[in-house]
Amino acid sequence: MNAPIADLRVDYRAGELEVNDLASTWHEQLSAWLGEAREAGLPDPNAMVLATVDDEYRVTSRTVLAKDIDARGVTFFTNYTSEKSHQLRQTRQASVTFPWYGLQRQATVIGTVELLGKEETAEYWAGRPRTSQLGAWASPQSATVRDRQTLEDLFATVEARFEGQDVPPPPHWGGWRLLPTHVEFWQGRTSRLHDRLRFRFNPARGDWVVERLAP
């Protein structure tokens, strides 16, 4: 018989995190941890839980894939008619969490969002598998559909439409960039005394400060 959920727990002992362990910038640190997650063979190491809120303060979360990390922010791509894009347009606020459970780590990025330009979208689009390109045209993301066959029929229609030619980016599809104001790195520790180090942007000084947070 399975134990009650309340009894499930792990005493985290995989590592520790000190200020001196951090890279000089949040994006270098995030890229380093993502690289270590890849080397460890974790599934979908660039998967992140994206949380958004609408103008009535209803919060929604879902998993998306990060496609770029640099000094500007964290980039992902999606349908601009989706629920997530609708909420991002309403509030311009979001957060993402990278859940690297296998390393007993997570990283959370909080900030505002901006749309990517058409050139950046086109550059990423050109490297997508053709089936993913066709799926972006076929799926009315977040809309109600009658059944699975409806999606299969939409895909078949799009496949026939672009047979023998390159698939261009749909006008309703593209990228978002999350521009951080806070980036927290969390390392699980024993006795629930986890290490939490946060990069926080100080607008008064125009630079970043590093803070330790109580677990």
Side-chain angles (χ1 to χ4, degrees), residues 65-138:
L65 298 177
K67 290 301 179 180
D68 192 28
I69 299 170
D70 60 23
R72 295 170 296 177
V74 179
T75 298
F76 61 95
F77 293 84
T78 189
N79 189 311
Y80 285 150
T81 66
S82 65
E83 180 182 56
K84 71 177 79 68
S85 286
H86 181 63
Q87 292 180 346
L88 291 172
R89 288 182 187 276
Q90 284 182 314
T91 68
R92 298 287 172 163
Q93 304 289 324
S95 72
V96 297
T97 295
F98 293 84
W100 296 308
Y101 303 124
L103 297 176
Q104 299 177 359
R105 288 176 175 172
Q106 62 183 356
T108 299
V109 183
I110 302 172
T112 60
V113 296
E114 66 178 12
L115 287 167
L116 260 62
K118 292 183 178 180
E119 295 79 9
E120 289 180 275
T121 292
E123 181 179 358
Y124 170 71
W125 176 266
R128 296 191 92 203
R130 184 177 179 86
T131 52
S132 297
Q133 294 176 338
L134 293 172
W137 275 97

